[in-house]
Each structure stands twice: as structure tokens, then as C-alpha cells.
Amino acid sequence: MIVMKFGGSSVANAERIRHVASIIKAYQEKRPVVVLSAMGDTTDHLLEAADKAVEGIVDVAGVAKLHEDTAMELGVNIDTIKSLLEELKQLLTGISMLKEISKRSRDYLVSFGERMSVRMMAAYLEKEGIPAKFYDAWDIGIVSDSNFMAAELLDQVWDNIPKSLNGYKNGQENQIPIVTGFIAKDEKGNITTLGRGGSDLTATMIGAAMAAEEVQTWKDVDGIMTTDPRLCPDAKPVPEITYEEAQELAIFGAQVLHPRSMMPVRKTGTPVRVKNSYNITSPGSIIVEKHTGKVPPVCAITKVKHITLIDIVSSRMLGSAGFLAHVFNQFLKWNISVDIIATSEVSVSLTVNTKADLTGLIEDLSRAASVTARSNKSIVTIICDVAHSSAILASGFAALADEGINVQMISQGASKVNISMIVDDDEADRTVQILHSAFFA
């Protein structure tokens, strides 16, 4: 058994659905379980419909047209989708009467995208003579807590999923399960969403619980790349990468699986393969617990733009065990996450997301230290084997110095697989290009 996950762009229209169906057919003998996102921008359109409903306007025409036109083009019966559209209209009517939308209602609302997507795909596969059956995630036992918009899966899913899918895995059932990603139900039966990376989490949870041969996530590039190919056209696929390296890549800006989606497969050692839906013969990149061959000094380079660098300086820090505790208590108080950090005896430098309102935090920190906040910065991260950090830094900084790039802060991650540096936003792309040329040319 394998698990195959396709995002919204992969099933955005009839043409893409036909293509994904051909990929599923090519892997039919592997007994795939397929996890789908909503079609294209359906989730955004549902949220727009909610905003209109709060203003008193109930309008499902855009969402309905996409799905009805796609069904007509595919030549499939969509009675099940029509019933969902009617249910959606009733929900929006309720929102329009209340003039507000709760987190619980929002999760119920956005669930319609995934639910219609799996019904469309299952119907088309059946039409093409490929046995298939759609499942809403809760139909196979995916249960979460009640933290709407960012729900966490409950431990019982490890037992629930095999109870639902063992018959298919063992050959007693032949219909390919087409399962909604991103959504679940809590123990009271309320629909929840799993937050960022939710569809990836659904796929890896199914793969881990079913002891799948591998989980495949299908994108539009030949796997995980050494850097963004839009920046560096000579970027290459990374054949193999560890869970830890993949998590760090995702944290620092690469479009890989969301870090939380790695948790189930790390527990079981289930491999994850990133494949190209436009080049199905490419082996892609495989994510594993440990490298099986020689560990490359540098795996990949990535960046995060538009962050703020905060420098906190105080002579009180000298010999004061409580200074760092005071600093981070302020971040906790204002619910602001730190990305990377570097310390000396009398100072702390760290980065935060520029979108956060830092006014209160800086006022509180300023009572015990001199605080400087500088925005328009970027984090450039080298995912690497830090056993070779001296050589990596020597060659990387030599290349940057030759091009006049000024690095304003450097931090080696506790994970031992990354080295991060801060540069100005307008130098970030060039920094990535210089480093990529230094390590991969």
C-alpha cells in the first residue's frame, strides 16, 4: 500500500483531474489511498462567500459553477455534490441571519471544498473503469480535538484508520479510497480543520497508521530542490533527505511538507516521497530517518523574507541568570514566536515575523535593556551536515565577501542540520544565488 496526496492546484479543473486520475491508475497495483485538497482556490472562495453572508448576501454561484462545469466536462453525475451545495447554501443562510461566523462554523464551511473534491474524483475514476470510493476523513476514523481552525489529531486515530482500511490493504476490497485531507471531526461530531499543512498531515497519518510502503506528495517539480528554481535555474533535485532536514527546510521557507506532518511518519519510520505530477517517471526526493549513503555537506539552501531582527543589549545580563528568562517571558506574554537566536554575554539577537505587532513587546523589553528592532531583513538558511560547518562557512562567507554581501547575524541550529544568517531583504535572493553557486556549481 502507498498513500498519494494531491494539492488543490493538482485538481484545479477537469484537465488536471483527468491527469491525476491517470497517475492514480498508473499506481493502481500498489493499492493506493488517495488524499485530496479542495479544487483550486475553492477554500478562498468559500471564505469570500462567508464574508458576503455576514453582510447579508448568500451567494454560492461561483463555487457551484466551478464544480458543476467540471462535472459536466468530465461527464460524471454529481448528485452528491449538489446535495453538498444545498447544505452549503443553508449554512450561509444561517450565517447571514446571525451576521457573524464562529470558528466552528468556519471549519464547517471550508470543509465543503475537500468533500466535493473527493466526490468528483471518485466519480470520474469509476467512470473510467477504476473502482473508487470517496471518504470524508471521519469515515475512516480521523478524529481530532475541538481546537477549531487548528485541531490536533487524537491518539485513537492510530487504531481507527487500520480498522477502516485493512480490508482494502489486504485485498478484500478493491475500491481505491479517495479521502478528504485537512478536515476531521471532534468527539462531539463537529467538523474541524487541521490548520496549516493539514492535508499533508492527513496523508502522513494514514501512511503511518497503515504501515504504508511510502507516502507520496505530488507537486510540480522533480522533488525537493537544492533551492528555488525560479531563483537558480540550475537547481537540482535532492535525491534523499532526512525528516529533520525536511522539517528545517519547511520552517525556513521551502515548499516541502509542513513540519507537523512529519510527526506520524517519524514515529514509524515511514518514507515520504516528493514526486512531480508532470514527470511521473522521475524518482523524486525521498525523506527518510537517516541517510542511506554518503551524507552531502550541503543539501539545500532556502530563505524567509520580511522578518524583523531584534537586538537586546544590557549590562545587567553579565552574571545574571535571570536575564534570559525575563527576555523570553516577554515573548510569551505577547505570544510572539522567535525564529532564530544568537547570544553573547551582554546581548541577545533574535528574529521574529514582521507581521506581529511588536509595540508592547519592545516597550516591556526596554524596561530592562536597550532594544533595537530592524525590519526588512531575511533569513537565509543552509541545510547541511554541521560536522563540516567550518568548511561550509569558510567557502560560503568567502563567496559572499567577494560579492560585498554583509551578513548581520549567524546562528547554528540546535538540530545540527542548519546554519542560518541574516541579510537585508533586497540582498536575500542574491545571497541564495551566490551560496548555491558556491556549493552546487
Side-chain angles (χ1 to χ4, degrees), residues 96-331:
S96 71
M97 294 173 69
L98 292 172
K99 298 289 192 292
E100 64 179 12
I101 180 168
S102 65
K103 287 185 175 182
R104 185 174 71 175
S105 297
R106 182 190 180 281
D107 278 2
Y108 179 19
L109 175 83
V110 298
S111 76
F112 285 92
E114 272 73 12
R115 293 158 71 192
M116 290 189 287
S117 177
V118 296
R119 285 157 174 78
M120 189 82 72
M121 179 62 76
Y124 181 69
L125 288 169
E126 284 280 345
K127 174 178 173 286
E128 294 298 297
I130 303 167
K133 181 179 179 180
F134 69 81
Y135 291 89
D136 294 324
W138 46 85
D139 295 333
I140 62 167
I142 294 183
V143 184
S144 75
D145 61 20
S146 302
N147 184 24
F148 297 104
M149 295 174 60
E152 296 290 344
L153 298 178
L154 301 182
D155 288 343
Q156 65 202 59
V157 300
W158 289 93
D159 295 322
N160 292 351
I161 293 170
K163 287 177 184 175
S164 301
L165 296 180
N166 269 341
Y168 171 70
K169 181 179 181 180
N170 298 333
Q172 297 163 320
E173 301 166 14
N174 289 316
Q175 289 177 300
I176 297 173
I178 313 296
V179 185
T180 56
F182 182 60
I183 61 176
K185 273 188 177 179
D186 67 11
E187 292 182 295
K188 296 178 181 178
N190 298 307
I191 295 175
T192 61
T193 60
L194 303 178
R196 287 188 62 199
S199 291
D200 288 335
L201 179 59
T202 304
T204 56
M205 186 67 246
I206 294 171
M210 294 303 299
E213 178 184 331
E214 65 182 28
V215 176
Q216 298 176 349
T217 179
W218 290 78
K219 298 183 178 292
D220 57 1
V221 291
D222 283 339
I224 297 168
M225 307 298 285
T226 50
T227 198
D228 186 342
R230 292 169 297 183
L231 275 182
C232 300
D234 60 342
K236 308 172 183 68
V238 181
E240 182 182 77
I241 196 168
T242 66
Y243 298 127
E244 195 168 41
E245 290 165 343
Q247 283 181 315
E248 293 294 315
L249 269 173
I251 289 168
F252 290 107
Q255 297 297 312
V256 193
L257 278 77
H258 192 275
R260 67 199 289 260
S261 70
M262 291 289 172
M263 294 170 65
V265 289
R266 289 197 75 168
K267 185 174 180 179
T268 58
T270 306
V272 178
R273 192 178 296 275
V274 182
K275 297 270 289 177
N276 188 350
S277 60
Y278 294 96
N279 183 15
I280 67 172
T281 59
S282 169
S285 302
I286 192 162
I287 308 172
V288 292
E289 182 63 40
K290 293 181 180 179
H291 284 283
T292 57
K294 184 180 178 181
V295 181
V298 176
C299 284
I301 301 165
T302 188
K303 72 177 190 306
V304 180
K305 282 191 169 183
H306 312 309
I307 58 100
T308 296
L309 174 61
I310 301 177
D311 294 317
I312 307 163
V313 182
S314 176
S315 58
R316 300 181 195 180
M317 186 175 179
L318 193 62
S320 175
F323 183 81
L324 282 176
H326 170 76
V327 168
F328 287 105
N329 277 337
Q330 305 315 310
F331 282 88

Side-chain angles (χ1 to χ4, degrees), residues 308-311 358 362 371-375:
T308 296
L309 174 61
I310 301 177
D311 294 317
L358 304 177
I362 291 173
V371 182
T372 304
R374 291 176 284 163
S375 57

